[in-house]
Amino acid sequence: MGPPIETPKGTRDWVGDDITLRNNVFDKIRNIFRLHGGTEIDTPAFERKSYLTEKYGEDTKLIYDLDEQGGAPCALRYDLTVPFARWLAMNNIRTIKRFQIGKVYRRDQPSLEKGRMREFFQCDFDYAGGQCDSMVPDAEVVCIAAEVFEALQLDVVIRINHRLILDGFFSAPEVQKEMVEKGLDVNVATKLGQYLQRDKEAGTVPRLLTLTSDPLLSANLDIQKGVEEMELLMQYLKAYGVADQVQFDLALARGLDYYTGVIYEVMLPIRKTGVSVGSIAAGGRYDDLVSMFSSHNIPCVGISFGIDRILTILKDGQQPKAQRIDSWIVIASSDKVLVQQRMALAREMRQAGISVDFDPKADKKPRKQIDIAEKSAATVAFLDLDDETPGNPRLKILTPPHKNPDIAPVVDRNNVIGQVKRHLAQAEYNS
Amino acid sequence: MGPPIETPKGTRDWVGDDITLRNNVFDKIRNIFRLHGGTEIDTPAFERKSYLTEKYGEDTKLIYDLDEQGGAPCALRYDLTVPFARWLAMNNIRTIKRFQIGKVYRRDQPSLEKGRMREFFQCDFDYAGGQCDSMVPDAEVVCIAAEVFEALQLDVVIRINHRLILDGFFSAPEVQKEMVEKGLDVNVATKLGQYLQRDKEAGTVPRLLTLTSDPLLSANLDIQKGVEEMELLMQYLKAYGVADQVQFDLALARGLDYYTGVIYEVMLPIRKTGVSVGSIAAGGRYDDLVSMFSSHNIPCVGISFGIDRILTILKDGQQPKAQRIDSWIVIASSDKVLVQQRMALAREMRQAGISVDFDPKADKKPRKQIDIAEKSAATVAFLDLDDETPGNPRLKILTPPHKNPDIAPVVDRNNVIGQVKRHLAQAEYNS
């Protein structure tokens, strides 16, 4: 025996119920995106390396380089946002709602508990365009976040902050801006805590009011603009009917370099989980990223859904899957010659949209074939050589449980599909 | 201006009609795979490098290595077959019909004419399992090839050969086996040509007969077994009703090391295209690949569809796409305050499954907003501040062409969705 066979560290295979659930979630999210007029794009798994540098702060070290052997250096994409900005610049596109679903790559320390992988899915919606009224695109993106989790039947809290309020707050109490690059350190958190304690009530408006009632803070121009935008955003979120899920949270800081305005993270309510599993979607406004590629600047706002964590949560709460019952197994009597009749019948049924399988060993005992079919809850179409009409097998339909094959109804060979479909519909109705 | 912004050499973005067509083709192929009881899997974009070596002959040099910086060396997948064999061995799976759709990577010289990219899609169906009667899985895979192109409405020719016949043929006339590793060189082709000339008729059976009527060839054990299997395969393909599209072709040789039995390539008929665009699907039996990972050997047979070439062909024959007409644009009168009512109405319609968009500039002139809507063939829901009921805007429906907004029907605000849906259905009916 050699060493164990494995996927590379921090990667996984997708199979069975996992991939079914995943495709199902993609369909639901894609549907929400389309209802908002979103256009799908798909970019290469790798980009020119130079495009990815200076975008991710200290996380740049997590980027996977390709071993180039000549040619322009390339690297696996770290997210879908920078490739989107590159695409906008390359095609000189000024206004679009685009979405993309794909894998991204980070040479991070994998952690199963934290749901952190080296290859994982992102699912992004971004609204690009300068010809927009303030906060109209931002509100739509936050609304999409609410709608996606509504469609997935997950209760969530959307924490919102504004980069300008954050910047203003830290410049006003003379705290270094750098301290928030990757979250907040202890001193900052203490100061923030003290500040936030003045306001015992949760929710957006009270905290914003507290903020603006502080003369030191309300004099700060960044904070003034940030608060103004947040208030407008809240009006729009009320119009969309999703304001209840949104909380202003001054303690929210996102690490990436490129955010310039509103930032948000979607979490499960802690009361539900006991512990926080981290954000399951996050995003914000990034008005300057495209200008790193192009002479035209294009303000953007977007959100990225963390599919892997969402799937883990959905899977934990899921009922065990019912077996599919639309599968048909065509079996023959022990007469091996019927294998070609199984094939012809299988083809006919598949052409009618019925999933069919049959045992690849022609001479397996009929009872054994029926047992296998029963395990998969399949209905069985049983080809039976009729003594009276040699070479012209009759077809019997056996619906599960297949205990009494003798009493199975015999199907008229002239209208197999119609009768098979009727039986399937009946089986589905009874199940 | 810096250098032009580009995707890496041999890669591309997918957008617009291309991605719509692609997803459409994936859906059709996936449907065929499911009708055969196929299970979808998805493997990482990269694998342990050691798993990929010694599988691809001289093409090994085309594999993209990752720059590892410590850790086990990894490389981007070259195809989906070796990852499938790795997955079978890792999970000790003995029997499965699995399919996978994903991108693969080859550091080849890109060629647009030949449709050769460095990142491109493969779409694979493979039937693994030792407990099968001879040629039953092989016939099913060839049948799937026929059904996929039937579903895509493309006339194709499936060229079939057998590795044993090929090996036997070359050992019998004392031609070196190595000469077929990457196609056939001139000498071999001449000998083959001479041989094939004896049989003027096209099609499978005559050529197989010629082959076995040659005493030198028919004495060869490899050829005997190969011919036997091909004859059985042809019987099964007749049972499936797809034999007409299949041609035995002694000149067909596939380069990859791992094939051991039947091999096939799907082509467009040359009479149609004038030139050959190369194979659009290909595969064969590979009985020894899994044993390179595991002590259990698992015989497999499969096919890989070359999605990029298929899409190029479909696109060439395609009618220009009709504009979608299910898009709704909710616009306000010039009264900017109505932007929140647009949002509320948009939310309501999206919840009812109607795609909605509105102009992100609230005070754009109504005529201008209607013009933009008209270009996208959208129906317009026009919010109109009614003098008699201040603050309670009326809703007018404007179906394209929007020349006469004044005569648009006014919608009862109490049943917007029902009336909107009726209008959309009517618009679709008229278009």
Side-chain angles (χ1 to χ4, degrees):
Chain A
M1 289 291 295
I5 305 289
E6 310 173 313
T7 61
K9 193 173 174 182
T11 69
R12 57 165 292 189
D13 296 318
W14 290 86
V15 248
D17 286 352
D18 281 7
I19 199 170
T20 306
L21 179 64
R22 188 189 91 182
N23 289 348
N24 192 356
V25 166
F26 285 160
D27 284 348
K28 284 182 177 167
I29 297 181
R30 218 183 285 256
N31 181 45
I32 302 285
F33 290 170
R34 290 213 176 107
L35 288 172
H36 285 263
T39 297
E40 186 165 8
I41 78 163
D42 177 33
T43 62
F46 50 89
E47 294 277 342
R48 292 283 186 94
K49 180 165 170 54
S50 61
Y51 299 168
L52 304 189
T53 49
E54 290 170 35
K55 311 288 190 302
Y56 302 113
E58 65 176 52
D59 279 358
T60 301
K61 66 176 188 295
L62 302 181
I63 293 175
Y64 270 99
D65 295 334
L66 292 183
D67 178 16
E68 268 311 312
Q69 310 173 350
C74 292
L76 295 183
R77 61 188 179 202
Y78 174 93
D79 63 12
L80 302 177
T81 311
V82 170
F84 172 54
R86 185 270 302 155
W87 177 76
L88 284 176
M90 185 172 139
N91 298 284
N92 198 19
I93 290 164
R94 308 295 179 90
T95 305
I96 195 165
K97 295 178 187 177
R98 93 84 180 75
F99 68 91
Q100 181 167 6
I101 300 176
K103 289 174 177 172
V104 301
Y105 302 88
R106 297 182 187 179
R107 199 201 302 276
D108 214 338
Q109 202 48 42
S111 157
L112 259 189
E113 298 146 44
K114 295 183 186 164
R116 195 166 58 209
M117 299 287 282
R118 289 185 161 194
E119 178 186 64
F120 60 97
F121 274 97
Q122 284 195 338
C123 180
D124 284 24
F125 186 99
D126 292 78
Y127 193 143
Q131 301 293 308
C132 299
D133 280 349
S134 172
M135 306 316 284
V136 169
D138 310 65
E140 184 154 342
V141 172
V142 174
C143 176
I144 284 173
E147 287 175 349
V148 161
F149 291 106
E150 207 172 86
L152 299 177
Q153 297 182 293
L154 285 177
D155 277 341
V156 295
V157 175
I158 305 174
R159 299 163 66 210
I160 299 201
N161 201 356
H162 197 294
R163 193 76 175 226
L164 287 181
I165 297 180
L166 210 54
D167 290 351
F169 182 85
F170 288 116
S171 69
E174 294 172 321
V175 180
Q176 290 300 308
K177 183 188 164 195
E178 292 85 65
M179 298 176 92
V180 295
E181 289 299 322
K182 284 287 287 180
L184 303 168
D185 86 355
V186 179
N187 292 330
V188 179
T190 309
K191 285 196 190 211
L192 256 181
Q194 286 165 356
Y195 188 78
L196 294 174
Q197 261 187 355
R198 298 188 210 167
D199 165 30
K200 296 287 180 200
E201 287 185 55
T204 302
V205 183
R207 284 194 184 164
L208 275 175
L209 283 176
T210 321
L211 209 60
T212 47
S213 67
D214 181 321
L216 181 69
L217 295 177
S218 65
N220 181 290
L221 290 180
D222 277 352
I223 292 186
Q224 277 178 21
K225 189 176 176 209
V227 167
E228 216 174 275
E229 289 194 355
M230 290 291 280
E231 282 171 347
L232 188 56
L233 176 66
M234 285 310 295
Q235 283 179 32
Y236 290 161
L237 294 179
K238 277 178 196 148
Y240 275 127
V242 299
D244 286 353
Q245 295 152 63
V246 174
Q247 282 180 7
F248 173 62
D249 190 340
L250 188 50
L252 173 69
R254 300 214 27 88
L256 298 181
D257 280 356
Y258 50 62
Y259 289 117
T260 55
V262 166
I263 50 180
Y264 30 79
E265 270 187 9
V266 182
M267 328 275 291
L268 292 188
I270 293 181
R271 61 177 158 74
K272 266 212 147 172
T273 54
V275 291
S276 165
V277 293
S279 69
I280 51 178
R285 174 162 285 282
Y286 50 101
D287 281 350
D288 302 329
L289 186 59
V290 179
S291 70
M292 297 174 88
F293 294 102
S294 161
S295 50
H296 299 295
N297 195 27
I298 299 167
C300 297
V301 60
I303 189 159
S304 180
F305 294 87
I307 294 299
D308 302 68
R309 283 184 186 172
I310 291 170
L311 290 175
T312 305
I313 294 161
L314 290 176
K315 219 175 129 187
D316 287 348
Q318 207 181 30
Q319 302 300 317
K321 269 284 203 315
Q323 292 277 10
R324 60 174 195 164
I325 63 142
D326 61 343
S327 163
W328 270 73
I329 300 194
V330 181
I331 55 167
S333 69
S334 53
D335 201 328
K336 195 174 167 168
V337 75
L338 291 182
V339 66
Q340 287 172 59
Q341 306 225 26
R342 299 184 204 177
M343 289 172 174
L345 189 58
R347 164 94 164 150
E348 200 178 336
M349 289 187 184
R350 285 169 185 148
Q351 283 177 328
I354 301 164
S355 289
V356 181
D357 209 351
F358 57 84
D359 200 289
K361 276 200 89 63
D363 58 1
K364 194 172 278 176
K365 292 245 159 56
R367 185 66 252 169
K368 180 97 185 159
Q369 296 177 47
I370 294 175
D371 286 348
I372 293 171
E374 190 160 34
K375 270 189 201 136
S376 72
T379 300
V380 175
F382 190 93
L383 286 170
D384 195 16
L385 257 197
D386 187 337
D387 289 337
E388 295 164 42
T389 54
N392 182 22
R394 297 191 311 166
L395 189 71
K396 292 182 182 175
I397 301 294
L398 285 63
T399 44
H402 312 303
K403 296 301 171 203
N404 296 310
D406 291 342
I407 60 159
V410 176
V411 168
D412 173 9
R413 196 66 190 78
N414 292 322
N415 182 22
V416 172
I417 299 302
Q419 290 178 76
V420 162
K421 283 198 159 172
R422 217 169 307 131
H423 275 279
L424 281 178
Q426 189 62 34
E428 199 147 356
Y429 178 80
N430 290 339
S431 73
Chain B
M1 288 292 294
I5 306 288
E6 309 175 312
T7 61
K9 192 172 174 183
T11 69
R12 58 166 290 190
D13 296 317
W14 290 85
V15 248
D17 286 352
D18 280 6
I19 199 170
T20 305
L21 178 64
R22 188 189 90 182
N23 290 346
N24 192 357
V25 166
F26 285 160
D27 285 348
K28 284 183 177 164
I29 296 181
R30 217 184 286 258
N31 181 46
I32 302 285
F33 290 169
R34 290 215 177 104
L35 288 172
H36 286 262
T39 297
E40 185 165 7
I41 77 164
D42 176 34
T43 62
F46 49 88
E47 295 278 342
R48 293 283 187 92
K49 180 164 170 55
S50 60
Y51 299 168
L52 303 189
T53 48
E54 291 170 32
K55 310 288 190 300
Y56 301 113
E58 65 177 51
D59 280 359
T60 300
K61 66 176 190 294
L62 303 181
I63 293 174
Y64 269 100
D65 295 334
L66 291 182
D67 179 15
E68 268 310 311
Q69 311 172 352
C74 291
L76 296 182
R77 61 188 179 201
Y78 174 93
D79 63 13
L80 302 177
T81 311
V82 170
F84 172 54
R86 187 268 303 155
W87 177 77
L88 284 176
M90 184 173 140
N91 298 284
N92 198 20
I93 289 165
R94 307 294 180 89
T95 306
I96 196 166
K97 295 178 186 176
R98 92 85 181 73
F99 68 91
Q100 180 166 5
I101 300 176
K103 289 174 178 173
V104 300
Y105 301 89
R106 298 183 186 179
R107 199 202 300 278
D108 213 339
Q109 202 48 43
S111 157
L112 259 188
E113 296 147 47
K114 296 184 185 165
R116 194 164 58 208
M117 300 288 281
R118 290 184 160 194
E119 179 187 63
F120 61 97
F121 273 97
Q122 285 195 338
C123 181
D124 285 24
F125 186 99
D126 292 78
Y127 193 143
Q131 300 294 307
C132 300
D133 281 347
S134 172
M135 307 315 285
V136 169
D138 309 64
E140 183 155 343
V141 172
V142 174
C143 176
I144 284 172
E147 286 175 350
V148 161
F149 291 105
E150 206 172 86
L152 299 176
Q153 297 181 292
L154 285 178
D155 278 342
V156 294
V157 175
I158 305 174
R159 298 164 64 211
I160 301 201
N161 200 356
H162 197 295
R163 194 75 175 229
L164 287 181
I165 297 179
L166 211 52
D167 290 352
F169 182 84
F170 288 116
S171 69
E174 294 173 321
V175 181
Q176 289 301 306
K177 183 188 165 195
E178 292 84 66
M179 298 178 91
V180 296
E181 289 301 321
K182 285 288 287 182
L184 303 168
D185 87 355
V186 178
N187 293 329
V188 180
T190 308
K191 288 197 189 210
L192 256 180
Q194 286 165 356
Y195 188 77
L196 294 174
Q197 263 187 356
R198 298 190 209 164
D199 165 30
K200 296 286 181 203
E201 286 186 55
T204 302
V205 182
R207 283 196 186 163
L208 277 173
L209 283 176
T210 320
L211 210 59
T212 47
S213 66
D214 181 321
L216 180 70
L217 295 177
S218 63
N220 182 288
L221 290 180
D222 277 352
I223 291 186
Q224 278 177 21
K225 190 178 174 206
V227 167
E228 217 175 275
E229 289 194 354
M230 290 291 280
E231 282 172 347
L232 188 56
L233 176 66
M234 285 311 293
Q235 283 179 31
Y236 291 161
L237 294 178
K238 275 178 196 147
Y240 275 127
V242 299
D244 286 353
Q245 294 152 65
V246 175
Q247 282 181 6
F248 173 63
D249 189 340
L250 188 50
L252 172 68
R254 299 215 27 87
L256 298 181
D257 280 356
Y258 51 62
Y259 289 116
T260 55
V262 165
I263 50 180
Y264 30 79
E265 272 187 8
V266 182
M267 327 275 291
L268 291 188
I270 294 181
R271 61 177 158 74
K272 265 212 147 170
T273 52
V275 290
S276 165
V277 294
S279 70
I280 52 179
R285 175 162 284 281
Y286 50 102
D287 281 349
D288 302 329
L289 186 59
V290 180
S291 69
M292 297 174 88
F293 294 103
S294 162
S295 50
H296 299 294
N297 194 27
I298 299 167
C300 296
V301 60
I303 189 159
S304 180
F305 293 88
I307 295 298
D308 302 68
R309 283 185 186 169
I310 291 171
L311 290 175
T312 305
I313 294 161
L314 289 175
K315 218 175 128 186
D316 287 349
Q318 208 180 29
Q319 301 301 318
K321 268 285 203 313
Q323 291 277 9
R324 57 174 196 166
I325 63 142
D326 61 345
S327 164
W328 270 73
I329 300 194
V330 180
I331 53 167
S333 70
S334 54
D335 200 328
K336 192 174 170 168
V337 76
L338 291 182
V339 66
Q340 287 172 59
Q341 307 225 26
R342 298 183 205 178
M343 288 172 176
L345 190 58
R347 164 92 164 151
E348 200 177 336
M349 289 186 183
R350 284 170 186 149
Q351 284 177 327
I354 301 164
S355 290
V356 181
D357 209 350
F358 57 85
D359 201 290
K361 277 199 90 62
D363 59 0
K364 194 173 279 175
K365 291 247 159 54
R367 186 66 252 170
K368 179 100 184 158
Q369 296 178 49
I370 295 174
D371 285 349
I372 293 171
E374 189 160 35
K375 269 188 202 140
S376 70
T379 300
V380 175
F382 190 91
L383 286 171
D384 196 15
L385 256 198
D386 187 336
D387 289 338
E388 295 164 42
T389 55
N392 183 19
R394 298 191 309 169
L395 189 71
K396 292 181 180 176
I397 300 295
L398 285 65
T399 44
H402 312 304
K403 297 300 173 204
N404 297 309
D406 291 341
I407 59 158
V410 175
V411 168
D412 174 7
R413 194 64 189 77
N414 292 323
N415 181 22
V416 171
I417 300 303
Q419 290 178 74
V420 161
K421 283 198 160 174
R422 217 168 309 131
H423 277 278
L424 281 178
Q426 190 62 35
E428 198 145 356
Y429 177 80
N430 290 339
S431 75

